[in-house]
């Protein structure tokens, strides 16, 4: 009974299962090799990067697709649209799964979902009835029941549904208020009993469930963005770009981090936000008070340390012995003979070794983190410069140089390249931090390529940022502007090939226009080893 679309959905889901389980081109262990973009192996990689790897969905697209699926299930199974929506919601909006399960065992599906073939109890035909919640007697006209037939007054229905909606998306699986009944409460009851505000909340939960329960689609994680992104399996890269210009990784939903794998990014972000580096700093730059054990940082030259109240213990910074046992005979205020003697005898070896290891670890982390953060801040600055160029400077330059803006697009392309390259270089420092120390050849090759990529980017950034100012500040057309065009375009091409990390709009069944968000990548790429 499956159509070709259902078969495609099933194949896509299987491919995504392989992706999430790690059976993809990206090695879950993070075993990557940096390769030159000119190699033959990279040609296939680059060709895949030109494929559109996602479709961007707006609210209208989501609503249309959702209604199409409901209509399709309702028509094929000859059930109401309310029942069809309950079925689809239960099976995570997978049409093929709904049809397979329904035709395999309809009664089992009805019991699981709460769709009763006939009412569990007969709706009384009396003029007055007793509500099963408030136990008040009401005329028959103000009593309502779900498909099961259990009658409740409209006021209790409104309170019951309103409380469920205010509790969150769990209201989408609402059941009859009768404790012994498993009948599902559908959209018809919501529209009848809920307030207008609650209806809007329910509708929002209902629409969002179409994306949140769909393994092939996710919401854009950018703050305030209402777009969804449908992933195209087999497109070669998991970095996607929304129409809001935010790029993120489809797998982990962190910001786009090609060429670094998700596990490395996760570890790096955790390390940046965890307290481990604070403890390393404390261990490397402080010593515990011998009495109260609180860490103390030495901020003056003298070795005579006094702990803060209420402890107030006075001790020697070097040997941690009581200061009352110190004086000129132990070396004075700036030395400690007891410490030197104890160090020669190995008394302080372990403590010094731990402190030295912590200091080295902190210095190594600081080295990589500073460069990671510097490229991040440079990228943010470049994004601001790009926006300024698009909105202000491009028109100004067009007037000064007497050239149409269409002939100045090479400047925008250069800034797009800079933004993308800064992103890639930023994450190479996270990659470098986790490279094993014993793999010297791999580390040397990586650092060589990283240095080459950074040098090329600096030349491009310098040209786009500073050399361009000469022409922006000129009073009239410059004779050597075409030479500048050739230089900047050449630096842009040599820094890295263009890649499409964006997606098309409304791609289902070929509807809508296709648009891609272009970004550029430097020549430094990673492939699984």
């Amino acid at each position: 009974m499956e159509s070709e679309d259902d078969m495609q959905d099933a194949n896509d889901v299987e491919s995504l299962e392989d992706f999430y389980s790690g059976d993809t081109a990206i090695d879950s262990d993070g075993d990557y090799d940096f390769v030159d973009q000119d190699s033959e192996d990279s040609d296939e990689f680059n060709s895949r990067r030109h494929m559109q790897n996602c479709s961007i969905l707006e609210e209208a697209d989501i609503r249309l697709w959702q209604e199409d699926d409901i209509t399709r299930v309702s028509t094929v199974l000859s059930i109401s649209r309310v029942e069809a929506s309950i079925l689809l919601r239960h099976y995570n909006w997978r049409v093929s799964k709904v049809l397979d399960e329904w035709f395999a065992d309809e009664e089992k599906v009805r019991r699981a979902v709460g769709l009763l073939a006939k009412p569990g109890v007969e709706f009384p035909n009396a003029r007055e009835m007793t509500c099963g919640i408030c136990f008040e007697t009401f005329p028959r006209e103000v009593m309502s029941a779900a498909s099961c037939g259990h009658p409740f007054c409209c006021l209790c229905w409104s309170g019951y549904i309103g409380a469920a909606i205010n509790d969150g998306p769990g209201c989408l699986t609402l059941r009859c208020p009768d404790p012994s009944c498993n009948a599902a409460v559908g959209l018809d009851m919501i529209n009848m009993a809920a307030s207008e505000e609650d209806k809007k909340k329910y509708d929002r939960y209902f629409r969002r469930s179409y994306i949140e329960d769909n393994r092939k689609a996710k919401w854009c994680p950018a703050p305030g963005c209402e777009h969804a992104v449908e992933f195209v399996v087999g497109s070669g890269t998991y970095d996607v770009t929304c129409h809001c210009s935010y790029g993120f990784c489809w797998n982990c939903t962190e910001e786009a981090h090609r060429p670094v794998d998700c596990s490395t990014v996760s570890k790096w972000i955790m390390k940046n936000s965890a307290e481990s580096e604070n403890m390393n700093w404390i261990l490397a730059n402080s010593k515990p008070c011998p009495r109260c054990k609180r860490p103390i940082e030495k901020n003056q030259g003298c070795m005579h340390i006094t702990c803060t109240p209420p402890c107030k213990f006075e001790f020697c910074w070097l040997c941690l012995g009581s200061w009352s046992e110190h004086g000129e005979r132990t070396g004075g205020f700036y030395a400690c003979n007891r410490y030197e003697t104890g160090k020669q005898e190995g008394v302080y070896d372990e403590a010094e070794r731990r402190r030295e290891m912590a200091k080295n670890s902190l210095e190594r982390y600081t080295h990589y983190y500073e460069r990671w953060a510097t490229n991040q801040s440079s990228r943010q600055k470049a994004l601001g410069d790009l926006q300024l160029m698009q909105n202000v400077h491009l028109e100004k330059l067009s007037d000064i140089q007497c050239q149409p803006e269409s002939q100045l697009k090479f400047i925008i392309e250069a800034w797009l390249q800079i933004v993308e390259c800064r992103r890639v270089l930023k994450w190479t420092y996270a990659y470098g931090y986790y490279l094993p120390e014993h793999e010297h050849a791999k580390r040397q090759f990586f650092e060589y390529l990283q240095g080459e990529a950074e040098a090329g980017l600096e030349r491009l950034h310098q040209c786009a940022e500073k050399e361009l100012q000469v022409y922006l500040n000129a009073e009239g057309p410059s004779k050597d502007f075409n030479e500048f065009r050739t230089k900047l375009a050449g630096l842009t091409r040599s820094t890295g090939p263009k890649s499409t990390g964006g997606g098309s709009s409304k791609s289902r069944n070929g509807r809508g226009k296709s648009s891609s968000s272009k970004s550029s990548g430097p020549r430094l790429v990673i492939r699984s080893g």
Side-chain angles (χ1 to χ4, degrees), residues 445-482:
F445 185 48
F446 159 72
E447 291 177 350
Y448 165 76
L449 289 175
Q450 187 183 50
E452 289 291 304
E454 190 140 23
L457 174 57
E458 291 301 329
R459 288 192 295 270
L460 173 62
H461 205 157
Q462 172 88 6
C463 184
E465 186 174 43
K466 296 187 177 179
E467 295 183 26
L468 180 61
Q469 290 299 319
V470 176
Y471 304 99
L472 278 170
N473 298 329
E475 296 181 356
S478 303
K479 295 180 179 179
D480 59 347
F481 185 73
N482 285 334

Side-chain angles (χ1 to χ4, degrees), residues 59 62-63 66-67 70 85 88-90 92-93 160-174 185 187 190 194-214 219 226:
E59 182 179 357
I62 298 169
R63 186 180 296 272
Q66 194 174 36
E67 292 299 322
I70 293 173
S85 64
L88 283 165
R89 176 68 184 78
H90 181 80
N92 297 331
W93 297 97
Y160 175 69
I161 290 175
I165 291 175
N166 288 320
D167 281 344
C171 63
L172 298 177
T173 57
L174 196 61
V185 176
L187 189 59
I190 304 296
S195 65
E196 290 301 319
E197 182 180 353
D198 287 341
K199 288 178 185 178
K200 292 179 181 179
K201 287 183 181 179
Y202 185 90
D203 182 70
R204 179 172 176 80
Y205 293 143
F206 187 70
R207 301 304 172 192
R208 290 189 68 87
S209 72
Y210 189 77
I211 300 299
E212 291 163 2
D213 294 338
N214 188 343
W219 293 107
E226 294 291 331

Side-chain angles (χ1 to χ4, degrees), residues 7 47 70 75 81 123 133 149 154 181-182 236 266 286 292 311 331 337 344 366 388 441 484 511 526 528:
M7 293 296 291
S47 66
I70 293 173
T75 302
R81 292 178 59 83
F123 195 79
I133 296 178
C154 292
C181 183
N182 191 42
S266 177
S286 68
C292 68
C311 178
N337 293 339
Q344 292 176 3
T366 302
L388 187 64
F484 169 76
R511 291 195 298 263
I526 297 179
S528 56

Side-chain angles (χ1 to χ4, degrees), residues 77-285:
L77 302 185
S78 298
I79 57 178
S80 69
R81 292 178 59 83
V82 171
E83 292 174 319
S85 64
I86 293 173
L87 277 173
L88 283 165
R89 176 68 184 78
H90 181 80
Y91 288 104
N92 297 331
W93 297 97
R94 295 168 60 187
V95 175
S96 58
K97 183 69 173 177
V98 171
L99 301 181
D100 288 345
E101 294 295 325
W102 182 273
F103 290 119
D105 193 336
E106 179 182 339
E107 289 302 319
K108 180 182 177 181
V109 171
R110 284 186 175 275
R111 287 194 302 270
V113 178
L115 294 181
L116 305 183
K118 57 182 180 179
V121 296
E122 290 293 333
F123 195 79
N125 197 24
R127 298 180 63 181
E128 293 185 343
M129 288 180 284
T130 301
C131 173
I133 296 178
C134 64
F135 298 104
E136 295 286 341
T137 302
F138 295 94
R140 191 175 191 276
E141 291 76 16
V142 299
M143 301 291 284
S144 300
S147 59
C148 56
H150 291 113
F152 302 99
C153 70
C154 292
L155 188 62
C156 287
W157 267 117
S158 180
Y160 175 69
I161 290 175
I165 291 175
N166 288 320
D167 281 344
C171 63
L172 298 177
T173 57
L174 196 61
R175 300 301 171 103
C176 173
D178 190 297
S180 63
C181 183
N182 191 42
V185 176
L187 189 59
D188 53 343
M189 294 298 298
I190 304 296
N191 290 333
M192 181 202 72
S195 65
E196 290 301 319
E197 182 180 353
D198 287 341
K199 288 178 185 178
K200 292 179 181 179
K201 287 183 181 179
Y202 185 90
D203 182 70
R204 179 172 176 80
Y205 293 143
F206 187 70
R207 301 304 172 192
R208 290 189 68 87
S209 72
Y210 189 77
I211 300 299
E212 291 163 2
D213 294 338
N214 188 343
R215 296 190 66 185
K216 295 191 296 179
K218 292 180 181 179
W219 293 107
C220 173
C225 181
E226 294 291 331
H227 291 117
V229 182
E230 185 185 41
F231 187 68
V232 179
V233 178
S235 55
T237 175
Y238 302 109
D239 286 355
V240 297
T241 303
C242 180
H243 282 174
C244 68
S245 300
Y246 182 76
F248 65 98
C249 171
W250 174 263
N251 185 20
C252 62
T253 66
E254 295 290 349
E255 65 170 290
H257 52 74
R258 181 176 53 84
V260 181
D261 61 289
C262 297
S263 62
T264 299
V265 171
S266 177
K267 288 188 294 184
W268 180 254
I269 292 175
M270 183 72 70
K271 188 172 188 64
N272 292 345
S273 60
E275 293 295 322
S276 60
E277 295 313 314
N278 292 340
M279 294 307 298
N280 273 341
W281 189 94
I282 290 172
L283 187 59
N285 297 279

